[in-house]
Amino acid sequence: MDGDVYAFSYSCTEGENRELWSSGHHLKSCRQVRISADGLKLYSVSRDKAVHLLDVERGQLVTRIRGAHGAPINSLLLVDENILATGDDGGTLKVWDMRRGTAIMDMKNHEDYISDITVDQNKRMLLTASGDGTMGVFNLKRRRFELLSEYQSGDLTSLALMKRGKKVVCGSSEGTIYIFNWNGFGATSDRFALKAESVDCIAPITENIMCTASMDGYIRAINLLPNRVIGCIGQHVGEPVEEIAKSWDSHFLVSCAHDQLIKFWDISGLPKLTVNEYRKRKKKHGRMKSLTKKAFGENDFFSGLVEETEKKQEEEEEQEEDEDSDSGSD
C-alpha cells in the first residue's frame, strides 16, 4: 500500500525466510508485480500511473515510464521478454514495447477498471476482464480491438485459460465462474456458482484443475467440466486474498492477503486427483474437503475450521450448479 516492493528468499523445509531487498520507487500503492521468464527482470505497476522495471538480483530501478496511463494502473501482463500489457482504472488497455519504451496499442473499450489480462499460447489474442462485466478481446498481432462479450451481472475480476486453451474462465465479484469457448467469446458456454463472496484470483494447476481465491479468505480447488469444488486448499482467516501463484516447480501454491502474511500450500497431490462425471445427488456429509492441513511456517490454525464453517457448501453448490449450468460437457 505504501508503494514498496520486497523480494524474499524462502524455504519450506530447512533454512530461513529472509528479505533480500526492498524498493521504494513507487509514490503510491503498488498493485501488481510480475517477474520475467528468465527470472532477471521485475515489472511493477502502481496507483501513481507509472510502470517500473527492476533488476531482480539487486532491486535497482532500471527503467521507469512516468505517466504511463491517465488513470491509476490496476493490472499487468508480461506477453514476452519485450512486450507487456497494462490496464487501468478507467478501462484503458495499453501494450508496450519495452525496447522503445513506447505504447504500440492504446485502446479504451471498457467502461470500468481492467481487473486482469491474459494471452493465448501463440501470443496472438489478448483477453481482458473488466469491472463493467465484460470480457474484452484484442488482436495483438494486428493491434486492433475485436469485440466485447455480453454483459454479466457482476464485475469480472480474474481470467485464466484452461483445457489447452479451448476454454476461458472468468471469475466474478458475485462468486460465479463464467466459461467461454475459444472463438466463442460473445456469450458464455457455461457458468458455475461457487457460493463464495467473489472469485478474485485464478491460478491454473492442470488443464482441468484450477485454484481460486476470494474475499472470504478461502482458497478453493476447482475442477472444470465437470464443474466441481474439489476441496479447500487453505484459508487466510477473515481476510481477503489479494493474489495466488503456483511455484516454479508446481509443488506449492503461494498466497498473500490483507493479514500481511505470505503462505505456502502443498498442492503436489492436486494433479493426481480425478473427478468423475457422475455424482450422487444425496450425501450424508455435504462438506468442502480440506485438501491441506498446514500452511508452511504457520500453525495449523484452521484444522477443522474449514469443515465447520463450510458444512453445507457442497450441497448448496450442487443445487446452484444444476440451476445455473448451461452445458455440463466439454
Side-chain angles (χ1 to χ4, degrees):
M1 293 299 294
D2 57 9
D4 291 344
V5 176
Y6 297 87
F8 293 87
S9 65
Y10 69 89
S11 173
C12 291
T13 53
E14 298 178 357
E16 62 178 358
N17 306 321
R18 61 188 180 92
E19 181 182 320
L20 299 177
W21 53 261
S22 63
S23 169
H25 296 293
H26 281 298
L27 302 178
K28 296 182 180 179
S29 61
C30 181
R31 291 182 168 180
Q32 197 95 73
V33 295
R34 293 287 183 263
I35 295 178
S36 61
D38 60 12
L40 300 178
K41 302 173 184 177
L42 185 147
Y43 292 90
S44 62
V45 294
S46 167
R47 189 170 177 266
D48 64 11
K49 307 174 185 178
V51 176
H52 287 182
L53 167 58
L54 302 176
D55 178 273
V56 170
E57 291 297 324
R58 298 172 295 172
Q60 293 182 346
L61 182 66
V62 177
T63 302
R64 175 193 286 123
I65 304 176
R66 291 188 177 93
H69 281 251
I73 306 174
N74 191 61
S75 54
L76 168 67
L77 171 75
L78 303 188
V79 177
D80 60 29
E81 60 181 6
N82 298 310
I83 305 297
L84 62 95
T86 52
D88 67 26
D89 284 356
T92 297
L93 169 74
K94 290 190 178 184
V95 178
W96 303 85
D97 186 336
M98 294 306 293
R99 291 167 294 192
R100 296 181 290 174
T102 57
I104 58 176
M105 288 177 64
D106 184 349
M107 299 181 177
K108 187 182 187 310
N109 299 96
H110 289 293
E111 300 172 0
D112 208 336
Y113 69 98
I114 295 177
S115 57
D116 202 2
I117 311 172
T118 192
V119 69
D120 70 320
Q121 187 175 8
N122 296 324
K123 316 295 184 184
R124 296 181 62 87
M125 304 300 292
L126 203 66
L127 306 178
T128 55
S130 173
D132 64 12
T134 66
M135 181 179 71
V137 183
F138 300 83
N139 192 311
L140 193 58
K141 293 296 183 182
R142 298 183 179 180
R143 302 182 186 179
R144 71 184 187 190
F145 166 72
E146 294 287 344
L147 59 92
L148 290 179
S149 73
E150 62 183 4
Y151 285 88
Q152 310 305 328
S153 56
D155 297 12
L156 296 186
T157 53
S158 48
L159 269 175
L161 298 181
M162 300 288 292
K163 296 284 187 179
R164 296 177 177 84
K166 295 179 181 179
K167 300 288 183 179
V168 182
V169 293
C170 294
S172 70
S173 59
E174 59 182 354
T176 298
I177 292 177
Y178 295 97
I179 305 171
F180 295 84
N181 290 325
W182 189 260
N183 293 330
F185 301 124
T188 58
S189 65
D190 204 353
R191 64 187 66 191
F192 179 37
L194 294 187
K195 288 294 184 179
E197 291 185 20
S198 60
V199 184
D200 295 333
C201 315
I202 299 176
I205 306 302
T206 68
E207 295 300 331
N208 303 317
I209 297 175
M210 58 187 174
C211 288
T212 66
S214 305
M215 286 187 65
D216 57 16
Y218 285 98
I219 304 170
R220 296 167 172 84
I222 310 294
N223 189 86
L224 185 68
L225 299 171
N227 301 330
R228 302 283 189 272
V229 176
I230 300 173
C232 183
I233 296 296
Q235 181 191 15
H236 290 260
V237 181
E239 299 290 347
V241 179
E242 285 287 340
E243 189 75 270
I244 56 175
K246 187 172 62 173
S247 65
W248 65 273
D249 57 2
S250 300
H251 192 82
F252 299 108
L253 187 77
V254 189
S255 62
C256 65
H258 288 193
D259 55 13
Q260 300 183 1
L261 295 174
I262 299 173
K263 296 185 177 182
F264 295 76
W265 312 94
D266 187 345
I267 59 169
S268 57
L270 203 54
K272 302 174 186 176
L273 296 179
T274 58
V275 176
N276 296 325
E277 285 280 351
Y278 175 76
R279 179 176 55 187
K280 293 181 180 180
R281 297 308 307 153
K282 293 183 179 180
K283 294 188 177 183
K284 186 176 180 180
H285 300 289
R287 300 182 180 182
M288 185 167 67
K289 181 181 179 182
S290 178
L291 299 179
T292 57
K293 292 299 182 184
K294 188 175 183 181
F296 291 87
E298 297 290 320
N299 293 327
D300 190 11
F301 61 89
F302 68 93
S303 180
L305 177 64
V306 172
E307 293 186 356
E308 179 66 26
T309 57
E310 305 238 342
K311 187 176 181 180
K312 296 183 179 180
Q313 174 93 23
E314 192 173 284
E315 290 178 348
E316 293 174 347
E317 284 164 352
E318 288 181 7
Q319 181 179 356
E320 187 71 24
E321 181 186 343
D322 288 341
E323 295 173 355
D324 287 349
S325 182
D326 299 325
S327 62
S329 60
D330 191 353

